[in-house]
């Protein structure tokens, strides 16, 4: 009887990770988890991370880098652990910083911009795919510079503050 009560108490505690997010956010995390769980076994492991990086165009990820990522989890990374890890990472973070970090994944050289063609390809082929019309609207609102670069820092500022920086 004691183990059942202990388990019940733990589950009934106020720290339920699913209460940290609304349903649409949980669904988005589930989609991200599903994309990363390349072998569809319900867990994200080193091979899944390597395949995910490869799908994003980053091929030669060091084993040590993947091991460091896996070590951040308290154990095997199923969806609940994945959600908990994101909850802990996002707690107290600035939405602007979160969005900037998402763009930085595509800015390997840390220049503050990404090639518009590359961003378009990623947005139209990964996760919640953009349509051609949505891309047109995006580039109308945030046109690339003459060299074809998208200034994502300014874009993020507008998204989070509603106006362009001077």
């Amino acid at each position: 009887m004691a183990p059942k009560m202990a388990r019940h108490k733990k589950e009934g505690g106020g720290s339920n990770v699913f209460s940290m997010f609304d349903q649409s956010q949980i669904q988005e995390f589930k989609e991200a988890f599903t994309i990363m769980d390349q072998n569809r076994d319900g867990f994200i492991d080193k091979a899944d991370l390597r395949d995910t990086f490869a799908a994003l165009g980053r091929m030669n990820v060091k084993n040590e880098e993947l091991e460091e990522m896996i070590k951040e989890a308290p154990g095997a990374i199923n969806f609940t652990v994945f959600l908990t890890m994101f909850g802990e990472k996002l707690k107290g973070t600035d939405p602007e910083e979160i969005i900037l970090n998402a763009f930085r994944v595509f800015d390997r050289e840390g220049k503050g911009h990404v090639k518009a063609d590359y961003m378009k390809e990623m947005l139209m082929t990964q996760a919640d795919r953009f349509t051609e019309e949505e891309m047109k609207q995006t580039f109308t609102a945030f046109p690339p510079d003459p060299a074809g670069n998208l200034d994502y820092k300014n874009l993020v500022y507008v998204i989070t503050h509603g106006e362009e920086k001077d």
Side-chain angles (χ1 to χ4, degrees), residues 2-15:
K4 186 177 180 185
M5 285 180 61
R7 188 174 69 229
H8 179 70
K9 184 174 179 169
K10 185 178 180 186
E11 290 171 357
S15 62

Side-chain angles (χ1 to χ4, degrees), residues 107-127:
D107 181 16
R108 291 192 199 113
E109 296 162 11
K111 294 182 176 180
H113 57 77
V114 293
K115 286 287 182 195
D117 289 343
Y118 178 63
M119 202 71 238
K120 179 179 180 180
E121 178 187 342
M122 289 293 109
L123 290 172
M124 291 183 75
T125 61
Q126 306 296 318

Side-chain angles (χ1 to χ4, degrees), residues 2-142:
K4 186 177 180 185
M5 285 180 61
R7 188 174 69 229
H8 179 70
K9 184 174 179 169
K10 185 178 180 186
E11 290 171 357
S15 62
N16 181 348
V17 66
F18 291 94
S19 66
M20 293 173 61
F21 303 103
D22 65 39
Q23 270 314 114
S24 65
Q25 290 172 310
I26 291 170
Q27 185 58 40
E28 288 178 23
F29 281 119
K30 186 67 176 169
E31 287 174 23
F33 180 86
T34 302
I35 290 167
M36 294 177 74
D37 181 17
Q38 296 278 311
N39 63 8
R40 302 292 182 254
D41 66 353
F43 296 90
I44 295 175
D45 58 20
K46 242 180 7 176
D48 291 323
L49 288 178
R50 185 177 305 284
D51 292 345
T52 301
F53 275 114
L56 293 171
R58 186 165 168 217
M59 298 304 185
N60 300 317
V61 183
K62 291 187 173 88
N63 238 3
E64 298 78 32
E65 190 177 352
L66 296 172
E67 286 168 9
E68 283 299 312
M69 289 178 195
I70 294 294
K71 273 194 237 171
E72 287 186 38
I77 306 172
N78 62 17
F79 180 64
T80 303
V81 171
F82 180 80
L83 196 60
T84 302
M85 290 172 70
F86 268 95
E88 289 169 357
K89 293 261 186 211
L90 296 177
K91 202 182 302 175
T93 55
D94 175 18
E96 185 173 4
E97 195 60 30
I98 293 168
I99 299 169
L100 277 172
N101 285 337
F103 276 103
R104 286 183 183 123
V105 168
F106 301 103
D107 181 16
R108 291 192 199 113
E109 296 162 11
K111 294 182 176 180
H113 57 77
V114 293
K115 286 287 182 195
D117 289 343
Y118 178 63
M119 202 71 238
K120 179 179 180 180
E121 178 187 342
M122 289 293 109
L123 290 172
M124 291 183 75
T125 61
Q126 306 296 318
D128 282 340
R129 295 178 173 99
F130 276 46
T131 64
E132 191 65 48
E133 181 60 29
E134 289 170 322
M135 289 309 308
K136 186 177 172 188
Q137 290 171 356
T138 301
F139 290 145
T140 298
F142 303 100

